[in-house]
Amino acid sequence: MTAATNSRREFSRIVAQSLAAAFAAPHVPPLLDAAQRKPTPAGAVRLNFNENPYGPSPKARAALADCSPIANRYPDEAYGQVIAALAQKYNVRSENILLGCGSTEILRAVDDAFLDPSKNVVAAAPTFEAVLDYARVLHSNAVPIPLTVDHRHDLPKMAAACTSKTGVAYVCNPNNPTGTIVTRDELAAFVQAVPPSALIVVDEAYYDFADDPRYSSAVEFIPAHPNVIVARTFSKIYGMAGMRLGYAIGAKEPIARLREQLVQDNGNAAVLQAALVSLADNDHVASCRAQLNGTRQWLCAELTKDSRPFIPAQANFVMLDMGTDVKPVIEQFRARNIIVGRRFAAMPNFLRVTIGTQPETESFLAALREIAPVRSARAAA
Ligand SMILES: Cc1ncc(COP(=O)(O)O)c(C=O)c1O
């Protein structure tokens, strides 16, 4: 038998196995699919999606209000301008930037480009699920690595789990839902240890809320480690979650591979104009950061006064240990028109609350004190 026959047989075997796996696997829709979510009641205090309650910069609002002159044209000009502005911000070239319909489209493109049924994705458990959801659609295996006892990514264990079969290693920093960070030095050791055949995706959706001096962006690792890409979004600090714009920074080759997966003309002209002026409005970013981090600090101080256990957070949300399954607790908040959560299967007793405006966060705390009075919280702890 010739080598060619052998390799044809091997190829047919792999194809047959992949097809069998594809058809045998139950269809599970992506967890974060908007069509599957419960509608939010009108007038509710929305503390469930880690949105920025202060919204876009006033300059972005003006750009959105005044978008009719550009609505009939394809968005090429603004698309290029946003890429150029981001390239300048990160001191890279345009070829190193990729725009997505939210950073979710970036994460989907990552999976589409780097995973298949023979590849796996290594990620913390729990973490933001999009990369894992789309991996499931592609019939790729997930390799979940539990968080450390202090609810942080266990990077040494994640690195050890990365093999030649690993297509993607996903690090969410700060992590959603725990709000914890990995330090610059921990990340430096991780990028060194992971095989260069795996794409390391560092999701920095909450970058702007982290104020721990040991934290820094993974962008610095890209020149020496071209298998690193960083995902960012306009949904959080820029207050534009409904506008759907995110981006990746990376070396030319992986960015080009991801670009092949995107919908052509995936930018919206009005949103791109709003993003362009937002990038130049440092005052709005600073003001959102100061207000939201100030409210986070206030909330954490109140939780401490109540002796309620919580995970110290570096993002615009906090995880509280309720000492009991949070499913009914979330419903009790909903009955008071305050939307919190969701429940995370790996941390069923923890309630995630987004930092809202100061009055919104005060209303959350007042409801919490009614739903779980302090004494019972102490007993549960
Ligand atoms: C860690 C993380 N990454 C990415 C996203 C997706 O954000 P978007 O698609 O709005 O940019 C979210 C949304 O909450 C998130 O928490």
Side-chain angles (χ1 to χ4, degrees), residues 18 21-26 116-119 134-141:
S18 308
F23 287 111
D116 62 47
S118 72
K119 295 277 184 194
Y134 293 125
R136 215 171 47 225
V137 174
L138 295 166
H139 304 284
S140 290
N141 276 337

Side-chain angles (χ1 to χ4, degrees), residues 102-104 128 170 172 176 203 205-206 233 235-236 244:
S103 50
T104 302
F128 185 63
Y170 175 72
C172 189
N176 181 6
D203 184 339
Y206 301 101
T233 182
S235 296
K236 307 298 175 184
R244 313 305 303 130

Side-chain angles (χ1 to χ4, degrees), residues 56-60 238 274-287:
S57 139
K59 291 174 187 149
Y238 293 105
L276 197 59
V277 290
S278 292
L279 282 171
D281 189 351
N282 293 330
D283 291 349
H284 186 68
V285 168
S287 145

